[in-house]
Structure formats: structure tokens, C-alpha cells
Amino acid sequence: MRLPRVLPRSLAGQLFVMQALLVAAVVAGCAVFAYVSGRDQAEETAKRQVRTAALAMAESPSVREAIRAPDPSAALQPYAERVRAETGIAFITIMDPRGVRWTHPTPAEIGRPFIGHTDRALLGETFEETYTGTLGPSIRVVTPVRDEGRVVGLVSAGITVERVSTQVREQLGALALAAGAALALGALGTYVINARLRRHTHGMNARELSRMHDYHAATLHAVREGLLMLDGRRRIALVNDAARELLGLGPEAVGRRVDELELPSALTGALLASGPRVDEVHLTADRVIVVNTSPVVGGEQRGTVVTLRDHTELQALSGELDSERGFSQALRSQAHEAANRLHTVVSLIELGRVEEAVEFATAELELAQVLTDRVVGAVGEPVLAALLLGKAAQANERGVELVLAEDSLIDDGALPESLAARDLVTVLGNLIDNAVDAASEAMRGPGAAVPGQRTATRALVTVTARTDGGELLLRVADTGAGIAPDDADEVFRRGWTTRGTGRGLGLALVRQAAYRNGGTVTLDRPEGGGARFTVRLPLTGAAPEVTA
């Protein structure tokens, strides 16, 4: 048999019951304490009151004078009753040293012996006691009346315990009203607070909240996407491990504003924006990040949920895919041209012009072999050599001649393992593509170069690749229109382009790859015009931290 549920299921309900019980216990404790304190205070007040009255009458000259008279009661009874009425005490009894009463609130008791103790008073001491007399239990004070050093009488003043209890009960009624009001206000405040808590916890109990927290923490650490939660003041409220790695955030990031994190300005603007952002590409010092933001509409304070995806490798693979696609197109073009040349050689042989056929085939072979021999002889790094040969074929198809500078020399094994081949492809591939575009555009129009045909004015791209003083130097120069000095810094910003939308990422990736490997990128204008980009990458192992 299951026991009935004592506490409500939800956390808010449980807290309400416990808080209500706590408030009730506190109010009850305060009420008991106030009652005990009030009773003690009432008794102490009564003692002070009757002591004051007894001492005042014992010191009164008129009392001593009346005691000397033949009939003390005649003068003392009216006087005692008047004082008793004025002070509000229960009785004032004046008696002779033997304890025979001269005064009493009940006249029939006059002349009878005093009910109580008088021994200590006869010795000259004033004392207090609680004793049951003719009026019931009372708190009384007994003090001697002296005349010329002799105890000639006794004065006893008292107040009944019932009157003290009545005063305490009157105070207790007011106390009960105050305690009830405090309990009602406490219960109301507790209900309001717990109603709000119930809305925020959606009626879940403590175990369910604890389990949800555990799942929540496990999920945050498990997901590979970066997750960032910002509050209404654009401060980081939550960040998972992936987001810390993508943005380079430290353990102190939680609680800081986004604009204090020293992120790239474009990325900071996206995080601070009030509207949603969908699949925006942003660059940090060493990563390509896709950012999605969604504002939090519900709740009392608006915030933003941000997801971050790392597209660094995807972007690099996309660049390599573009290069491979270019290579395949160049190979198809070369295969087509080779077929045309082969047909030409065969036709010359069929016409009996064997010497001309040999001369034509040899000349074409030399033209194709010169650059290959030059690249293979100067560049011992296979990835760079293959990239240069492929880009040369692409450039030739566009009427641009790609040449390798005479001082180019990279021995096999000269590059460290820390310098990723993918970064080399990113740097040199993007620089050559931009240079070929610039040189090709400069040659358009009358007199432009025709693929496979040499002209007086050439569209030329010069590539330099060599090791220089512990650094890898990669330099690409073109004969294009060049870049205005005012745009020298802007060309590396993501989105800057002169060739329409959808471009402007290549140079930003070049600078990112260079910074990631601890290198630098510079832009200048050679003497013959055009643009010249120089990249220097250290060959000494791990790269230092470089911020964008």
C-alpha cells in the first residue's frame, strides 16, 4: 500500500509548504517569546508599583502621626483607600508590629491578623513575596514603619496575580492579532514568490530540475558546435567548450560583455545585433566561423542564443576543390590542345614534311617542359611544386604567363611539419588566383593576350618561393592595375573585392593562415606596376599567438 503524498510534487509547491510552516513556526515562537516577556514585564512592573506605594506610605509623617493616635484606623483607613484608588493596586494594609490590621480594602478585616510573613520586616528589611491572602494570590511588598528608630508598624501593599494575568491576557490579544497579521502577510508573500517560481520552473520538482541540469551540462559539453547565450545586456550568460575554443575565450568570459572580448569588429557587431543572423561567415585570427543568432523572445529579459560552426577546414577543402577543379579544366584544355597539335604533326608527316613536324613537336615540347623543369628543380616541396604547375596551366588558359623567379629555391625537407601543407595551398593558391585575375583583366580589350600566343605586352604573374634567414618567403607579383594605397589595409578584410558579390574571402584567408603560423603579409607596388604580395612564415616550429 502506497503512502499518500505529503508534499506537493512541484518544487514551487514544496517550497511554499515548507516556507509557510517556517513562517508559522517563527511567528508562533515570536508570540510565545513576547507572551513570556510580557508576563515577566507585567510582574516586574507590579512589584515596582507596590514597592513604591509601600515605601511612600511607610515614610509618610502622617502615617507615623496616626499610629501614635489612640485609634490609628480612623485616620489610616481613609488615607490608605485613597492611595489605593489612585495607584490602582489591590490592597494597602497598615498593621501594628504584632500583625493586627489597621487598614484593609474590606473593612470587616480590620482588627484581624495579617495573613503573610512579617518577620523580616520587623527586623527592618523590606521584602517581596507572592502569598495567598483574603483577596487570593497576590504579589506583595512588606516594609517597616520606623519612628525614632523603633519599628512602630508595618505597611504591606500588593496586587493580585489575577489582575496581572488580566493585563497579560489583554496584551496577548493584541499580540495574537499582530501575529495573525504577520502570518497572513508572510503566507501571502510566500505564495506570490512561489507562484513566480512555479512559472519559471514549469511545475517541475527538485529531482526533475537536477536531472535536467545534468542533461543540460552533458549536452553543452558533448555538442561540437559552439553555443553562446547572451543576456539582455549582451553579457555572456553561458558558453560551452566548443565556443570557448572557436572564439579563444578564457574561463573568465562568463559575465563579460561581448564588446569587451576583443573579437573582430564584424563578429562583435553580429553578436550585438538585435535581429537574427543566418549562416554569416566571419573570420577570427585563425578560424572561419559560421554564425547564427536567434533572439530570445519569452521571459522577462530578452537575450540571444548564438551557435557557432567551425568552417576552417571546410573552407580549406573548398579551396582545394576549386584548385582541383581548375586543374581538371586545365588538363581538359591541354588534352584538347594536345590532340590538335598531334593532328598537326600527323598531317605534316602525311604531307611528307617530316622535318617540320619534328621541329613543331619539339618546340611545343620545350615550351611545356621549361616551366616544369624550372619548378621541379627549384621547389623540392611536392605540394608547392604541384600547385605551381597546376596554376601555371590555368594561367596559360587565360592568356597569363606564370613564371618562377630566378632566386626561388626550396630544398626538399626544408619546411617543418608544423607548417601545414593546407596552409601553403591556401596562401599561395589564393595569391596566384588573385594575381591571374588582375593580370588577365588588365589585358582585356584591344591588344589583349590570346591563350598560347606571346604578345609584346604580356600578362605576367611572377612567383617567388624561397627560404630566407629562417623564414619561408612567398611572393606573388602581377602586371595588373594594382591596388590604391588607401585600400592597402582594406584588401585583407573579409568581403573586400572589386569583382562583384560572392568574392572577397581569399585575401582574408591568406592573412588568417599567415597569422595562424606566426607570419606576416605585406602589400606593395613593384616598379613595373601592378601589385605584389609578400608572405613570410617562420620555419622554427610552433607559431606564437597572434591576435587579429
Side-chain angles (χ1 to χ4, degrees), residues 417-428:
E417 294 183 359
S418 60
L419 190 57
R422 180 171 293 172
D423 287 342
L424 295 179
V425 171
T426 298
V427 172
L428 195 55

Side-chain angles (χ1 to χ4, degrees), residues 57-112:
M57 295 198 69
E59 296 294 330
S60 175
S62 58
V63 172
R64 288 195 294 270
E65 183 178 351
I67 291 175
R68 298 190 198 104
D71 186 10
S73 294
L76 293 177
Q77 174 67 10
Y79 176 64
E81 286 301 298
R82 187 172 64 252
V83 173
R84 184 181 69 83
E86 292 175 355
T87 58
I89 59 180
F91 66 87
I92 297 177
T93 299
I94 305 175
M95 67 199 86
D96 63 17
R98 294 172 301 170
V100 178
R101 300 188 186 99
W102 286 328
T103 65
H104 194 275
T106 303
E109 296 294 330
I110 296 175
R112 294 182 179 179

Side-chain angles (χ1 to χ4, degrees), residues 61 75 117 165 172 230 286 325 345-346 349 372 420 423 429 446 503 528:
H117 299 96
S165 299
L172 183 61
L230 310 177
D286 56 356
R325 187 182 295 112
V345 171
V346 171
I349 293 175
T372 302
D423 287 342
R503 305 291 296 273

Side-chain angles (χ1 to χ4, degrees), residues 145-221:
V145 179
R146 293 183 178 87
D147 189 6
E148 296 180 358
R150 293 182 305 106
V151 175
V152 297
L154 302 174
V155 176
S156 176
I159 187 169
T160 60
V161 174
E162 178 63 24
R163 180 174 297 185
V164 174
S165 299
T166 301
Q167 295 176 355
V168 172
R169 284 195 295 270
E170 292 176 355
Q171 296 176 358
L172 183 61
L175 179 62
L177 291 176
L183 182 61
L185 289 177
L188 179 60
T190 301
Y191 175 79
V192 172
I193 293 174
N194 282 274
R196 182 176 181 182
L197 179 61
R198 187 180 299 107
R199 289 196 303 270
H200 287 291
T201 58
H202 301 284
M204 291 185 291
N205 59 27
R207 181 177 299 176
E208 291 171 338
L209 288 173
S210 177
R211 185 165 57 247
M212 177 175 290
H213 175 270
D214 294 339
Y215 291 159
H216 173 75
T219 302
L220 286 179
H221 291 289

Side-chain angles (χ1 to χ4, degrees), residues 158 330 391 438 467 504:
K391 292 298 183 183
T467 55

